[in-house]
Amino acid sequence: MPWPGRGPDPRRDSDRHSGEDHMHNDITVIGLGEMGSALAGALVGAGHRVTVWNRSRGKAAALTDRGATAAHDAAAAVAASPVVLVCVSDYAATRAILEAPGVGGQLAGRVLVQLSTGTPQDARELDELVRGLGAEYLDGAILAWPRQIGTPDAYVAVSGPEATFRRVEKLLLSVAGAATYAGPRVTGAAAQFAATLAYLAGHWIGFAHGARIYQAEGFGVEQFGRLLAGLGPILAADNVHMATVVAENRFTDPESTLRTAGHDIQGLVRQAAEAGIDDTFPAFAAAVFERAVAAGYGDEEHVAVIKTMR
């Protein structure tokens, strides 16, 4: 049930740590940037008792007005709840908080869920640190905008011991309708995030370059956006196809060869010069394809460029 107008009472710590119901209802959120504030707000809105802490204390005001409790320091924040969710700038910032005087000692017996941005190696190292402090660890990655947190559109992947994930699943479903278990290997969620970010980096830069082509020719960028939206099912199918090709090491007999695509991308470099727009992105892409052709993969699938990355 909801807990309107109140947060956890640190004086009832022993009572609040008894029973699985408290695991579902009490949580601390450390880090109140755009994403951390959205996470804490969704948890408050779902009726959980939420303690919050941020280095800049002013960021807690909007949440305490809604019923959260602001801890006076990081140690008190960790001590307040059996589940501690961290969403700060990166894993180094998380380590700095946990290694501050008095904080690590409060972590024993709790579950720490890391939702900061990092690499699989960061996940391995933080898992070792947290378990060394006597706590359980789940590593997570958010694939959503802050405005989507608390809705069915938000996707959060979490990896680590499945039993631990199931104990906090209700909390995670409060922040993301698609709170997904990414497996027992602690690096699972971070690998998902890094791989998706690699795809999105090309997506964002490619869209920006395409928009400049439209603008240079006097067309509205909105038309470009609608074009790509309409191609969505085709692009989705191509992603599945590429994954199958790579997984099965089956690069031969393509409908269009890597050499052909590379030639077309060279045309983008020429077009950029003709239109007077920056050629950084097409020149980079052309170089990647040229290297793959030079390595002897010109007659294979486009995604054979992966062979030059191994």
Side-chain angles (χ1 to χ4, degrees), residues 59-308:
K59 291 187 176 181
L63 292 161
T64 56
D65 287 345
R66 295 177 56 190
T69 295
H72 59 84
D73 59 23
V78 171
S81 309
V83 181
V84 179
L85 187 155
V86 182
C87 185
V88 291
S89 58
D90 53 31
Y91 284 63
T94 299
R95 292 185 71 98
I97 292 168
L98 298 181
E99 293 174 344
V103 178
Q106 298 292 338
L107 201 57
R110 289 169 169 77
V111 176
L112 187 138
V113 183
Q114 165 76 312
L115 291 181
S116 308
T117 300
T119 67
Q121 181 61 26
D122 288 330
R124 279 187 284 265
E125 292 175 355
L126 192 60
D127 176 50
E128 182 178 358
L129 171 65
V130 171
R131 288 189 294 108
L133 292 170
E136 298 175 75
Y137 180 73
L138 292 171
D139 195 82
I142 302 171
L143 294 174
W145 302 113
R147 66 177 180 272
Q148 296 172 313
I149 296 299
T151 76
D153 294 330
Y155 178 90
V156 172
V158 179
S159 52
E162 184 172 4
T164 306
F165 171 78
R166 297 303 172 195
R167 286 164 55 205
V168 303
E169 187 174 11
K170 181 178 178 181
L171 288 166
L172 296 173
L173 286 170
S174 295
V175 302
T180 304
Y181 181 56
R185 293 175 59 185
V186 76
T187 57
Q192 278 193 27
F193 180 84
T196 303
L197 182 60
Y199 177 85
L200 289 175
H203 163 80
W204 292 325
I205 299 170
F207 181 90
H209 188 85
R212 287 295 294 119
I213 293 173
Y214 260 64
Q215 290 175 330
E217 294 301 321
F219 296 107
V221 176
E222 296 85 357
Q223 297 178 51
F224 181 42
R226 288 192 293 270
L227 169 66
L228 293 180
L231 292 174
I234 297 173
L235 299 176
D238 190 48
N239 284 329
V240 174
H241 170 73
M242 288 189 293
T244 301
V245 166
V246 173
E248 298 179 358
N249 200 35
R250 180 174 51 80
F251 296 93
T252 57
D253 194 27
E255 291 189 271
S256 173
T257 66
L258 188 156
R259 179 180 289 104
T260 298
H263 181 268
D264 291 342
I265 294 170
Q266 284 287 358
L268 285 178
V269 178
R270 179 168 57 85
Q271 187 277 335
E274 293 169 352
I277 62 178
D278 183 77
D279 71 352
T280 301
F281 180 64
F284 165 76
V288 171
F289 275 75
E290 283 177 3
R291 185 172 61 166
V293 170
Y297 308 131
D299 293 327
E300 299 186 6
E301 290 263 4
H302 302 164
V303 76
V305 294
I306 196 173
K307 294 183 179 182
T308 67

Side-chain angles (χ1 to χ4, degrees), residues 29-34 36-38 40-41 44 50-73 77:
V29 177
I30 292 178
L32 299 177
E34 289 290 331
S37 293
V44 170
V50 182
T51 298
V52 296
W53 181 80
N54 192 75
R55 289 187 185 279
S56 303
R57 299 191 64 178
K59 291 187 176 181
L63 292 161
T64 56
D65 287 345
R66 295 177 56 190
T69 295
H72 59 84
D73 59 23

Side-chain angles (χ1 to χ4, degrees), residues 3 6-29 48-52 69 71 76-84 109-110:
W3 305 86
R6 59 166 294 187
D9 182 352
R11 293 171 296 180
R12 300 180 62 221
D13 187 73
S14 61
D15 175 65
R16 292 170 53 248
H17 280 78
S18 62
E20 189 169 317
D21 183 61
H22 292 307
M23 180 69 75
H24 285 169
N25 287 299
D26 293 9
I27 184 168
T28 286
V29 177
H48 301 295
R49 295 193 291 187
V50 182
T51 298
V52 296
T69 295
V78 171
S81 309
V83 181
V84 179
R110 289 169 169 77

